[in-house]
Every structure is written in C-alpha cells, then in structure tokens.
Amino acid sequence: MKKSYNTIGSIGFAFMLTLVCGHIKAQTKTVTGKVTAGDLPLSGVSVSQEGSDQVTVTTIQGIYQLQIKGKNPVLIFRHPDYPQQRVEVDDRRLINVSLLERMSGIEEVVVNAGYYKVKDKERTGSIAKVSAKDIENQPVTNVLSAAQGRMAGVSITQNSGVPGGGYDIQIRGRNSLRNKSNSDIDGNQPLYVVDGMPIGGEMNSLYSTQILPGHSMNPLNSINPQDIESIEILKDADATAIYGSRGANGVVLVTTKKGKSGKVGLSFNTTYGLSQVLSKMKMLSTSQYLDMRRQGYANDGITNYPATAYDVNGVWNQKRETDWQKELIGNTASSSSTQLSLTGGNETTTFLLSVGHQEQSTVFAKDFKYLSNTLSNTISHRSKDNAFQLKISNLFSMQKNNVINEDVTKKSLFLSPNAPALYHEDGSLNWEHNTFTNPIAAYNGTYSNENKQFLTNINTQYEIVKNIIIKLNGGINYQTLEERALQPNTIYNPSFATGQSSAYSSASKNNQERFSLILEPQLGWQYAYNKHKIDVLVGGTFQREVNEQGSMVGIGFESNVFIENIGAAQTKIISDQFRTEYRYAAFFGRINYQFDHRYILNITGRRDGSSRFGPNNRFANFGAVGAAWIFSKEKFLEKVKWLSFGKLRGSIGTAGSDNIGDYQYLDTYTVSSLIYNSVTGLTPSRLYNPDYSWEKTTKLEAALELGFLKNRINVTGSWYRNRSSNQLIGVQLPSMTGFGSVLANLPATVENSGIELELSASPIKTDRFKWETSFNLSFPKNKLLSFPDLEGSTYANQYLIGYPTTIVKLYQLEGIDPKTGLYVFTDFNGDGKISSPDDNKVIENIGVKYFGGWSHTLTYKNWDLSVLFQFVSQRNRNYNSLMPTPGGMNNQPLEVLDVWSPDHPGGFYMPYSGGSNGSKNTAQNYFRNSTASVSDASFIRLKNVQLSYRIPLQNSAFRNVKVYFQGQNLMTWTRYFGMDPEFLSLGYLPPLRTYALGVQFTL
C-alpha cells in the first residue's frame, strides 16, 4: 500500500512539473531587432528586460537578440549618448527601435562638479561646460582655444601665434594683485584638474621670454583635444568651495573620453591645415618712407645726411621695395593631426586606446616645428549590480618645440622698406658691407624645449551596504621639462669679432622635474524617503609634490659642433640647483538635501593645510551654501504650457588661493656671483614671515534659469560679486633693512562683479533639418575697494582705489604746439614740466567691458555646418605705445602721414625728426605713454567654421566615413590700431588664420 502511494505521488509530481515547465516555456521567447539613430545602425546599445539581469549589446549593425520571460515584459534600451527608452513587448518578437538625440535643454544635461556629478536642472552652483562635439570642430592644439567665446564669465586670451605657448584664462575676473609683472607667479590662474587629478600650474621656463610672452606654456598643451570628452569650468562659491584653498580663481575640470560598450571599433581621423598671420599692418611704401626721412632731417636742420643713414644717403637702393611682414612672418605654416583610437567592451567593461600625433610649423622663414605625441588609454569596469565600479586612465604625452630665440614680429614692422636683401645669390646671409643688421641671422639661434608628462589616475567605488559607498581617487603626475637656448656666433655679423669665432657662442640649459602624488578617500551616503532625498559626501585629500630644477650656461666653444654640450664650454656658469616640496592635506564634505525635487540645499566645506604658509597660519576653513527652487514644478504653474522649466538659485561662500610658490615665508638665500678669498658667498633673498597666510575670496551669486516650449528655448541670467582680501603682495620696507619689501598679507580688497546671460535654442527641428543656436554675453566689472596706505607705497602709480586693477595712468595729450612742433601734454601740477607721477593723471582701463559668443549648428541630411562668432568690447594699448619717433630709421604705419604742419594744423602726429632732436625724442617717449597710446580694441571674430559630410554607406566594412573642412580665426572686424586686438604683450606674433581639411573613418 505504501508503495502504491509513493507511485501515485511520483506520477502526480511529474505531472505538476510538466505543467509548470510548459507554462514557463510558454512565457519565454526570443526577441530580436535593430536599433538605429538618425537612420544609421547604432552599436553599443545595452538591451535588457525590466526587472531582469539578462542583458545584451547591439552589434556594429545595430542588431540585438534577447530572451525574455514573464507577463507584460518591457525592454530597456540604454546608450550614453541617448535618453533611455522603454518599449512594451506585447506579442511581438521583432522590435526595431530608433533612439532620439538628447534634448539640449537643461533637463537632460549632466555636469561634472569635480567630486560629484549633478543634473544640470538640480545644480545649485555655476558651472559652464563645453562638450567634445564643440571641441572636435576646431583645428587647435590646446582645448582652451576651442573654449574661446563659448562660456559666459570665462575670458580666454591666446598669448601668441607661436605653437606651444600659453593662454590667459580669467574666470570672472582677476582676484589677486599678483601677476607676472610684480611676482614670479601669476596669482590669478585657475586650478586644472584632469580626471580628478590636479596637474599643477605652468612649468617654470627660463629662456622663452623673447618668443613666448610671459614665458608661458599652458599645462593643457600636453592633452590632445581629440581625447577630451568635456571641459567644465567651476565659477561660483557653491561649485569651487569644495576645492578650498585652490578654488578662488575657478577650477578647470577636464574629462577625457572613455570606451563604449559593443563590438570593438576602430577610428582613424586625420587633418591637414595651412595657417597664416591673421592680420597685417599697412606700412609706408619706399617712396613714402624716404619722403618722411628727408622731411625729418629737414625739420632738424640737417642737410648732409649722416654716414649711418644708409637708407637715405644712397648706400642702399632707394628703389628697392620689400614687404618685411611678408618676408619675416608672412610664410604659410602647415599643420597635421592624426589620431587612431580603438574602443569596445560589453555591458560591464569598456576600454579605449588612443594614439595621437600633431605637427605644426611656424610662419617664420625657416623650418621650425612643434611636435606633440600622445598615448592614452582608459579601462572602465562595473559589476552587474553596479555595486563596484573602477576606472583607470593613463596619459603619456611628449611635446617638442623648436623655434627662434626672439620673435621677429616687431622687426618686420620696424625695418626700412628699402633695406637690403636677406641673402646673397649664393644663399649666404647678406650684411650689405656691414651696413645692415640682418634679421634672419637670428634664425641661427634657437630656443627649444621638450616636455614629457605621464599622468595616471584611478577612480574606484564600492557600495558596501545599500546607499553607502566608499570611494578612492588617486593619481600620479610626473612631468619633465628640458629647454635649451642656443646662440652661436653666427647670429652676429662675421665682420665683427663676436661673429668670427665660436668663442663668442653661448648655450643655456634648464631642466625641471615634477612629481605629484594624490590620494582622496571618500565616503558617500544617499537616502530617499517619500519626497525627501539626502546625499552626503565626506572625504580627505593628501597630496605631495616635489619639484627639482637646475640650469647652467656655457660660453665659448672650440666649435659650434659642441654647442649643445655645455661641458665643452670654456666658461661654465652653474645656477642654483634646487628642490622644493609641497605638501597639502584637507578634509572636505558636502550635504545635499532635496525636497519633492523642487527645493534644493547644498552645503560644502573644506579645511585645508598647506606647507606654503607660515606656521602661524598653515590651516584655514572654506565653505559655501547653495540653494535652488525649481518653481516650474509648483502647482500654480502646472497649467502654464509654454514654461517647461524654471529655477531660482543662489550661493554664498569662500574659497582661497595658495598659488604662491613654495618657501615664500622663509628666510632664503641665493648663491652670490661674487667670490672673496676663494669663498663663494650667499646673498639673503627673502625675509621670514611666520604670519604668511591665505588669500581669501568671498563669492556671492544669484541666478535665474528658464526653459520654454519643451526646452526648445533655454535662458540663464546670473549676477555675481566676488571680493578678494588678504592680498599677498610686497609690503614696502625701509631701505635700512636691506630689502625693498617683504611678501605679506595686506588687507587690500579687490571686487569682481558682473552679469552673465546665456541663451540656447532649437528654432527648427525636423527629421531632415535641424538648427541649434546658442548665445552668451558677460559684463565683468573689476574694482579695487581698499588698499591701506596706497599713496605712500610703490603701488601708487599702478592702482587707484575705486578703479579697476587693470588701469594705466597716462599723460593727457592736448595736441601740438605750433611754435615748437612738439606734443603738448597737460601739466596737472603746474610746475612747468612734465613728469611722473605728478602729471600722468589720466585713468584708462585697459580691461574688457563685455565679451561673448554666438554659435550656430545646422544639420541637413548628411551635412553638418557649425559657425562660431566671438566678440569682445575692450580698450587696450595700441601701436602708438610702440611707435619709434616718426622720421627715424624705422618704418611707420600709414597713419603717420597725418602729420602736423602749418598747412595741415589738424595733423595728429608731430613733425618728423631724423632721430637726433632730443626734445622730439623726449616728447615721443611721453607720447608712447599718453592718452594716444590707448584706444578701442573691440573686435568681432569669425572664430570657427566646420562643414562636414557623412558619406552614405551600404554593405561596407566602414560604419561611418566623414569628410570635413575646418576654419579657425577666419575673419576679424575691428577698428583697432595695431596688428591684432587679441594679445597680452605687444610686439609678438598674433593668432593665425587656419584652413584645414580632414577625413574620419570608423570601422
């Protein structure tokens, strides 16, 4: 009987199992389909069933296949470049999906805030962003060129048209009184962070001053713009306070590209471009020049021309006509850029490997060249449940720059138009019987540098329990700079002793090495309950940076063959070989609270300690509070259809700056060049200051953000006010101390305030044609609020309370005295003479009044066109501030033809002089520092144009083939009197106009 029951039970169990299996089989099926975007197959799309861990990824043809089960299944399609899409399966087995591009409105954008990411609609701080789409449109070697004119509140100026140079970037103005004219370090430079790793400021170049303005080499030169996914600029207190003592001048966050899931893809991109000087000055012709010269001597009462006046006394050919701008800086520079990248992965692991090579020659009349090679890779991994995430990125780059020792732009303007030819018929340099200083001889001397950088960082996180995440950011930055300045005797006239022997040759060499290590452990907690959401982050920063530098000079060589070996020099000068160490530690935190996705409060704080400050003030606290109200989600606005989004936000807080160099508070000594009794002495160079402390900036901001017509139109208006105090400047000391000043904190206060406006819109958006446009406009204001005892300090002639820190004090030009033919300047103190500081009382602000940009992107079928206009309203120094005395042995612009005479009493320039009239030379010196030397330098520039065409492909091994044309700095509209209105120092090569063609293949 028992056996019978067991048999019946077994049969029943088998029957029930059959029914269950049959039911499951009936509920399980395979779904296939194709995913496209813009009628093209889209690979790397993850396809999963909602509530299931089954995931697949589309192939290069966009095909997927997935097994699903259960009732009412829903498929989820995810891709990093497109919004997530949910599709109900119903009874279908074939489901094709077309993913739509993300809306450009603030609803969908996610921005990088450094230690955290936040949706643009939920941020409480001010963050500007430029994406890879905009960066890739421009034939540039530094991403800052691509960012010009694209971000409100961020003013970027390119220092020079010489490749490998620097950029001046001002994020909401200049907060510090320290700049390169009164300090070794510009105290207004922002913090640069690449993938979470601070990379430090510029390497210290010693020998590039005459070719690179301010001996500046921007730290982002080492990163290929094609490797950058986005660049974000943190501006206000809410965004920068979490960086504490390094965030006062803003933070530049660079995020590099990472791999995409899907089948392994190979991309090859190459570009070739041609560049020329953007603008030239119209100079006097030979006949006009000689007329000026003769008239100048006649005005001086000289009838017999001096023996050295070769241009006018018959020694030089007076019918010769040379455009020296064309000869010296008028060549066409070529550039090429090639990049090969490999990417792929699956749903949990992706990789990217990229190799890039760039070359760029110069417009100078010799084959000087700038080379850049980059190798980067990124590996990202996450567990299927997203509990564990890991990202490792590495970047190795090498830049080599070989240029002339001295920029010849100024010489191209000053040389007489009838000066002799540069070369003899046999190709040798022409010195015209020792009457001509050949500018090409300078090309025998070179300045070169080689910069290598290895940057690696790791970002990892693990969710130890639900909503509690531990993170670790770490990185290493190793960088070396080697520069050489060679001046062989061949740069001199061989008829003189200095040019006859290599004993007069010299070589200089500088080596610098930087090693930086950073670790940032973090703990995050997120909690959500009903309408409440809390996000908490705490962490610490530990950084150690070591810099080593040494330089040497060799003079006199047996042969120029040995000039690069300073050990072979007859005289060797070894400068200080020094090592500095910077240590930095901090504790930071953030609390973000949201209620009902409408009310947002963000609190950030940081306590910093830096080895750069005195023992009495080594630590400081910084913090900020930001708040936002998304009022468009209020019930009283629910029925307002035209308003898609509305947010009010504001912030207040403090940030600091320790960008002052190392050991500035200590007693320091330098090795003396004087030797007594075979003993080398030491010279005191700095006084001890234990109270040496931080510069602090208090930031305040209020902003309104609006989105209209389903975010087809987005508008943002911001007002800000930053006040920077505790300024680190040289405080004047009595001469009996042996020092003119001591670097200390002064309670001087600088205020930067302004209004920023941003507008983005999609006026037309159809299946075939799309037009997107964006506009930004900034009105910055700068003012020195206080400076104790300014009148009695050495800064009295540089600053004035209540005025911008960018002012210059000038003599007031009244006109020309008809009796003497000399310039007349206002004698403000009435003592009968013109002198400084009593008579240079006219205040001119050479800063920016407003600036911005206007961009357009048009897409029609396979065609894409993007256009960017940049505009700046400003006043600045003009060519009059450089101009030699008209009538001397220097060419002049056509404007000097407007010369005063009894028959032309309205003439602007005083009567010409041959150069021997002391009174006129003195008047010209005053003229160069008068109101005539500053004028309108506003401009509108067609900054960038790109036209691309995507070739239709069918049954091809290539997934995508695109050809494109790019143009940079194409046209400039300006009334500026000078070569180009974009500059930091006059007399250097201006930015270049570039035309480029390129092609991109994607497998």
Side-chain angles (χ1 to χ4, degrees):
M1 188 70 178
K2 184 177 180 180
K3 182 177 180 181
S4 299
Y5 280 125
N6 287 339
T7 302
I8 293 171
S10 299
I11 295 172
F13 178 75
F15 179 71
M16 292 178 63
L17 185 62
T18 302
L19 289 175
V20 171
C21 290
H23 178 72
I24 293 175
K25 185 176 181 180
Q27 295 297 317
T28 302
K29 63 179 180 181
T30 301
V31 177
T32 61
K34 185 176 183 180
V35 181
T36 59
D39 298 328
L40 292 174
L42 185 62
S43 65
V45 180
S46 65
V47 185
S48 61
Q49 181 183 355
E50 191 174 55
S52 170
D53 59 358
Q54 294 294 318
V55 179
T56 187
V57 179
T58 58
T59 66
I60 193 171
Q61 290 82 22
I63 304 298
Y64 73 92
Q65 180 176 305
L66 181 69
Q67 270 202 339
I68 63 173
K69 60 185 177 180
K71 292 183 179 181
N72 303 320
V74 175
L75 296 185
I76 307 294
F77 295 83
R78 295 185 179 93
H79 191 279
D81 296 333
Y82 299 86
Q84 175 180 300
Q85 192 164 329
R86 299 174 73 255
V87 178
E88 295 181 358
V89 177
D90 298 327
D91 296 328
R92 295 177 292 173
R93 291 182 178 271
L94 178 65
I95 300 178
N96 296 327
V97 174
S98 177
L99 297 185
L100 301 175
E101 285 190 85
R102 288 188 185 272
M103 293 291 293
S104 59
I106 55 180
E107 292 283 348
E108 295 293 341
V109 177
V110 175
V111 293
N112 180 14
Y115 290 103
Y116 57 93
K117 292 184 178 181
V118 61
K119 289 184 178 180
D120 195 48
K121 67 178 181 180
E122 296 176 352
R123 65 179 170 89
T124 53
S126 182
I127 304 175
K129 180 177 181 178
V130 175
S131 65
K133 182 180 178 181
D134 296 320
I135 297 170
E136 292 170 352
N137 285 352
Q138 306 191 44
V140 296
T141 57
N142 187 301
V143 68
L144 293 179
S145 286
Q148 284 183 293
R150 294 188 182 274
M151 295 182 287
V154 183
S155 175
I156 302 174
T157 303
Q158 185 175 348
N159 289 3
S160 168
V162 177
Y167 293 78
D168 178 65
I169 174 169
Q170 296 181 28
I171 302 174
R172 291 184 168 176
R174 301 183 68 89
N175 297 311
S176 177
L177 295 177
R178 286 179 297 113
N179 53 57
K180 285 193 173 181
S181 66
N182 59 25
S183 172
D184 293 333
I185 297 176
D186 185 356
N188 295 281
Q189 290 305 298
L191 173 68
Y192 293 97
V193 180
V194 179
D195 288 334
M197 175 72 189
I199 61 173
E202 298 177 348
M203 299 290 276
N204 187 22
S205 170
L206 298 182
Y207 307 124
S208 63
T209 303
Q210 295 186 73
I211 185 64
L212 300 178
H215 53 84
S216 175
M217 291 181 287
N218 190 267
L220 295 185
N221 285 344
S222 61
I223 303 178
N224 189 334
Q226 303 300 315
D227 288 331
I228 295 176
E229 180 65 30
S230 66
I231 176 172
E232 275 104 346
I233 307 291
L234 310 186
K235 297 186 286 185
D236 74 328
D238 180 81
T240 61
I242 200 167
Y243 283 95
S245 65
R246 301 187 285 188
N249 300 317
V251 182
V252 179
L253 301 176
V254 177
T255 303
T256 59
K257 293 179 179 178
K258 62 181 180 179
K260 296 181 179 180
S261 57
K263 187 177 179 179
V264 174
L266 183 66
S267 177
F268 176 76
N269 189 15
T270 182
T271 305
Y272 181 79
L274 299 174
S275 303
Q276 291 182 321
V277 170
L278 178 59
S279 57
K280 298 178 182 178
M281 294 192 67
K282 295 181 179 180
M283 310 299 289
L284 297 179
S285 65
T286 296
S287 60
Q288 292 170 326
Y289 169 79
L290 293 177
D291 287 345
M292 175 191 71
R293 290 279 285 148
R294 296 182 183 112
Q295 188 175 339
Y297 280 121
N299 293 337
D300 293 343
I302 297 176
T303 55
N304 295 322
Y305 300 138
T308 55
Y310 310 116
D311 55 343
V312 73
N313 66 7
V315 174
W316 291 353
N317 185 351
Q318 297 187 14
K319 293 185 179 181
R320 181 176 175 79
E321 186 90 46
T322 303
D323 181 354
W324 289 112
Q325 292 179 87
K326 181 178 179 181
E327 288 289 325
L328 298 181
I329 62 172
N331 293 274
T332 299
S334 63
S335 61
S336 63
S337 175
T338 303
Q339 187 180 39
L340 184 67
S341 60
L342 186 69
T343 182
N346 54 30
E347 177 66 16
T348 59
T349 305
T350 61
F351 71 90
L352 172 68
L353 177 64
S354 176
V355 180
H357 174 76
Q358 293 178 318
E359 292 187 11
Q360 185 174 347
S361 63
T362 72
V363 295
F364 304 124
K366 194 174 180 180
D367 190 22
F368 299 108
K369 188 169 289 188
Y370 174 78
L371 300 175
S372 177
N373 296 297
T374 57
L375 172 64
S376 63
N377 75 284
T378 302
I379 298 176
S380 301
H381 173 74
R382 66 174 180 83
S383 59
K384 287 188 175 182
D385 60 358
N386 276 333
F388 174 74
Q389 296 183 24
L390 173 68
K391 179 185 175 183
I392 301 175
S393 60
N394 300 285
L395 168 69
F396 176 75
S397 68
M398 180 178 66
Q399 291 78 41
K400 291 184 177 181
N401 202 359
N402 178 36
V403 291
I404 56 177
N405 256 322
E406 181 182 358
D407 195 313
V408 295
T409 301
K410 191 184 297 185
K411 291 182 179 179
S412 73
L413 301 174
F414 286 0
L415 273 177
S416 305
N418 68 325
L422 298 175
Y423 299 99
H424 291 295
E425 292 184 359
D426 61 0
S428 61
L429 292 179
N430 177 24
W431 301 95
E432 198 67 14
H433 308 295
N434 304 328
T435 65
F436 178 46
T437 302
N438 195 318
I440 294 294
Y443 290 10
N444 291 328
T446 61
Y447 167 79
S448 62
N449 64 57
E450 182 174 336
N451 182 66
K452 297 177 182 177
Q453 184 172 23
F454 175 70
L455 183 67
T456 183
N457 52 61
I458 177 173
N459 303 305
T460 183
Q461 67 178 52
Y462 181 69
E463 188 175 14
I464 52 179
V465 296
K466 187 177 181 180
N467 296 328
I468 297 180
I469 300 173
I470 57 173
K471 301 179 182 179
L472 176 65
N473 295 338
I476 293 175
N477 179 32
Y478 177 71
Q479 192 170 1
T480 64
L481 172 68
E482 179 181 293
E483 59 177 352
R484 294 175 182 266
L486 306 180
Q487 293 183 299
N489 64 292
T490 53
I491 66 175
Y492 305 114
N493 189 332
S495 297
F496 303 121
T498 53
Q500 293 175 354
S501 170
S502 57
Y504 292 94
S505 298
S506 66
S508 304
K509 181 182 179 182
N510 172 45
N511 289 88
Q512 185 176 353
E513 185 176 286
R514 173 184 293 165
F515 178 82
S516 179
L517 171 67
I518 188 171
L519 291 174
E520 292 185 312
Q522 301 169 48
L523 178 65
W525 174 60
Q526 294 180 341
Y527 176 75
Y529 177 74
N530 291 336
K531 296 181 180 181
H532 304 275
K533 183 180 179 182
I534 299 176
D535 192 344
V536 179
L537 174 70
V538 293
T541 300
F542 307 94
Q543 183 176 0
R544 178 176 179 264
E545 181 178 294
V546 177
N547 285 276
E548 296 183 2
Q549 184 171 358
S551 60
M552 61 184 72
V553 177
I555 303 173
F557 295 86
E558 291 298 326
S559 169
N560 286 332
V561 173
F562 307 114
I563 193 171
E564 293 193 27
N565 179 11
I566 294 182
Q570 298 171 3
T571 303
K572 307 173 188 67
I573 303 173
I574 310 298
S575 300
D576 287 341
Q577 312 290 299
F578 60 84
R579 178 182 184 272
T580 63
E581 183 173 349
Y582 166 56
R583 294 199 177 193
Y584 173 85
F587 173 79
F588 61 87
R590 170 184 181 251
I591 300 176
N592 182 271
Y593 170 74
Q594 294 187 29
F595 176 73
D596 199 19
H597 300 287
R598 287 182 292 172
Y599 310 105
I600 306 172
L601 179 66
N602 194 60
I603 302 173
T604 56
R606 191 177 185 106
R607 179 167 176 79
D608 280 353
S610 173
S611 63
R612 289 175 173 169
F613 296 101
N616 295 345
N617 287 295
R618 189 150 286 173
F619 296 90
N621 300 318
F622 306 93
V625 176
W629 172 35
I630 305 178
F631 58 83
S632 56
K633 291 189 176 183
E634 299 290 348
K635 291 184 178 180
F636 63 85
L637 289 174
E638 285 182 351
K639 295 183 179 181
V640 181
K641 302 299 182 182
W642 50 269
L643 181 65
S644 310
F645 181 80
K647 180 175 72 174
L648 275 172
R649 59 175 173 84
S651 66
I652 185 172
T654 60
S657 174
D658 72 346
N659 185 23
I660 47 118
D662 298 309
Y663 308 135
Q664 300 291 308
Y665 68 94
L666 289 174
D667 276 324
T668 55
Y669 297 83
T670 58
V671 177
S672 173
S673 60
L674 302 177
I675 299 176
Y676 175 75
N677 198 22
S678 301
V679 176
T680 301
L682 295 177
T683 303
S685 57
R686 190 176 292 113
L687 289 175
Y688 178 60
N689 181 6
D691 298 318
Y692 196 71
S693 184
W694 317 76
E695 290 183 342
K696 281 193 175 183
T697 300
T698 302
K699 301 182 178 184
L700 178 66
E701 181 184 39
L704 173 65
E705 300 177 9
L706 299 172
F708 303 100
L709 305 177
K710 297 182 179 180
N711 290 330
R712 293 281 293 274
I713 302 174
N714 296 284
V715 180
T716 299
S718 305
W719 170 86
Y720 66 90
R721 189 195 69 192
N722 301 338
R723 287 184 175 175
S724 303
S725 58
N726 222 26
Q727 296 282 336
L728 281 167
I729 56 176
V731 177
Q732 193 172 4
L733 293 177
S735 58
M736 67 184 67
T737 65
F739 293 86
S741 64
V742 59
L743 199 59
N745 297 95
L746 189 74
T749 302
V750 176
E751 179 182 275
N752 286 285
S753 61
I755 295 175
E756 298 170 1
L757 301 174
E758 297 173 89
L759 169 67
S760 62
S762 299
I764 301 175
K765 193 167 188 179
T766 65
D767 293 339
R768 292 192 171 188
F769 181 72
K770 182 173 62 175
W771 171 29
E772 295 179 346
T773 182
S774 63
F775 177 83
N776 69 83
L777 179 62
S778 303
F779 296 90
K781 290 184 178 180
N782 176 277
K783 184 189 298 183
L784 179 63
L785 294 183
S786 65
F787 194 127
D789 301 321
L790 175 62
E791 290 299 324
S793 74
T794 56
Y795 300 96
N797 203 36
Q798 187 175 356
Y799 301 119
L800 193 64
I801 295 174
Y803 286 84
T805 59
T806 53
I807 64 167
V808 290
K809 294 185 176 182
L810 305 171
Y811 300 104
Q812 176 67 58
L813 177 64
E814 294 183 355
I816 296 173
D817 187 344
K819 296 180 180 179
T820 63
L822 299 177
Y823 292 122
V824 176
F825 304 95
T826 302
D827 183 9
F828 283 99
N829 66 349
D831 63 354
K833 60 181 181 179
I834 302 298
S835 62
S836 174
D838 297 320
D839 296 315
N840 56 337
K841 295 293 186 180
V842 179
I843 308 301
E844 275 280 7
N845 178 23
I846 59 173
V848 174
K849 295 180 181 178
Y850 62 85
F851 64 93
W854 188 18
S855 65
H856 301 270
T857 302
L858 296 95
T859 302
Y860 177 70
K861 293 184 178 180
N862 292 344
W863 291 91
D864 291 285
L865 174 66
S866 64
V867 180
L868 171 65
F869 290 92
Q870 177 196 9
F871 56 88
V872 178
S873 176
Q874 62 182 355
R875 291 180 68 80
N876 213 334
R877 292 280 193 177
N878 59 36
Y879 190 79
N880 285 332
S881 64
L882 282 179
M883 182 181 290
T885 303
M889 198 172 173
N890 295 286
N891 202 4
Q892 299 284 354
L894 288 177
E895 281 76 4
V896 300
L897 295 178
D898 184 20
V899 61
W900 183 93
S901 70
D903 297 330
H904 184 48
F908 183 74
Y909 293 94
M910 69 178 179
Y912 306 139
S913 169
S916 60
N917 188 315
S919 297
K920 288 192 174 182
N921 291 338
T922 300
Q924 185 67 22
N925 289 333
Y926 289 134
F927 177 80
R928 283 194 289 262
N929 292 282
S930 73
T931 51
S933 67
V934 174
S935 60
D936 183 24
S938 304
F939 65 90
I940 299 174
R941 177 165 288 166
L942 180 54
K943 188 67 180 178
N944 173 255
V945 171
Q946 172 165 296
L947 177 65
S948 64
Y949 178 71
R950 191 175 62 248
I951 299 175
L953 300 173
Q954 292 183 353
N955 302 321
S956 172
F958 294 102
R959 183 173 55 179
N960 184 27
V961 176
K962 182 175 72 172
V963 294
Y964 54 87
F965 162 81
Q966 295 175 333
Q968 189 81 358
N969 297 327
L970 295 182
M971 295 184 67
T972 302
W973 294 269
T974 182
R975 290 182 293 181
Y976 173 68
F977 178 37
M979 288 202 70
D980 190 84
E982 181 182 352
F983 65 90
L984 286 182
S985 300
L986 282 170
Y988 288 90
L989 189 72
L992 305 182
R993 177 193 289 117
T994 301
Y995 301 95
L997 289 173
V999 60
Q1000 183 181 44
F1001 300 93
T1002 304
L1003 288 171

